[in-house]
Amino acid sequence: LGCAIRRMQNTFAGHELRGRSLGVVGLGAIGSLVARAALDLGMDVLGFDPAISVDAAWRLPSEVRRMENLPALLARADYVTLHVPLLDETRHMINAETLKSLKSGSVLLNFAREPIVETDALKVALDEGRVGAYVADFPVPALLGHPRALLTPHLGASTEEAEENCAVMAADQLVDFLKTGNI
């Protein structure tokens, strides 16, 4: 029984976050909140955002170390979290070339948009063990069942509060249109 319990415990063994490094790609409203939470957990936080606004820069904790480019961040981070919008410039931002810069065994987290990561290149990197794990709320078929991928449904807006906020926003937009003609 003792051996069985130890095997079960080993299945769920992990690493402490304190002292690990988190690379935050995209330092807007959400990225800066994630950076603050990671600092509060005792993590070393690295940040990269080529298009950071002045407002976002003011929100950013001063302890976040600014990286000059994406490869520099990827090479140093134990965990990398993506918080960029899906634009032409960010589509497949994480691809075969950028994955070569990733610190071996790092964990990649994508709760932004699925096409930011090139799935085929990621699958190869996961298979080779260059990426330790991929965590996302976009269950793409090519990664379903992969032992290094933890995929969940994209449920960020599936709370009662989010549904109510969406309804209020729609009503406000309708009122604005009726009053001013703005769409």
Side-chain angles (χ1 to χ4, degrees):
L1 182 62
C3 289
I5 291 173
R6 271 193 297 286
R7 277 195 305 274
M8 286 175 45
Q9 287 174 331
N10 290 341
T11 301
F12 297 102
H15 301 280
E16 299 255 344
L17 293 177
R18 180 173 299 284
R20 301 280 178 166
S21 57
L22 175 69
V24 181
V25 180
L27 296 165
I30 295 172
S32 63
L33 289 171
V34 170
R36 166 56 47 211
L39 288 167
D40 290 344
L41 290 169
M43 296 185 83
D44 180 30
V45 179
L46 316 169
F48 172 71
D49 190 330
I52 190 166
S53 70
V54 172
D55 286 341
W58 278 106
R59 283 192 303 266
L60 194 61
S62 62
E63 301 92 343
V64 175
R65 287 195 297 151
R66 185 176 154 270
M67 297 286 105
E68 294 298 318
N69 53 50
L70 183 59
L73 179 141
L74 295 175
R76 290 170 181 78
D78 297 310
Y79 298 86
V80 176
T81 182
L82 306 173
H83 299 284
V84 294
L86 179 59
L87 307 168
D88 288 341
E89 302 83 45
T90 60
R91 182 177 299 276
H92 294 167
M93 171 187 267
I94 304 298
N95 54 47
E97 190 63 32
T98 56
L99 286 168
K100 290 177 186 174
S101 300
L102 192 66
K103 182 178 179 180
S104 183
S106 292
V107 176
L108 179 62
L109 303 114
N110 180 10
F111 299 107
R113 295 288 181 260
E114 180 263 322
I116 292 168
V117 176
E118 186 181 5
T119 303
D120 293 340
L122 174 64
K123 186 171 185 323
V124 169
L126 286 166
D127 290 343
E128 293 174 352
R130 285 185 290 128
V131 176
Y134 179 63
V135 182
D137 57 353
F138 307 100
V140 292
L143 297 176
L144 287 175
H146 195 288
R148 295 180 187 268
L150 175 60
L151 307 169
T152 65
H154 188 67
L155 299 174
S158 296
T159 64
E160 289 181 26
E161 295 83 0
E163 294 290 330
E164 185 174 325
N165 289 336
C166 287
V168 169
M169 284 177 17
D172 288 344
Q173 289 174 359
L174 183 58
V175 168
D176 189 39
F177 172 73
L178 293 172
K179 285 184 175 178
T180 66
N182 290 332
I183 296 176

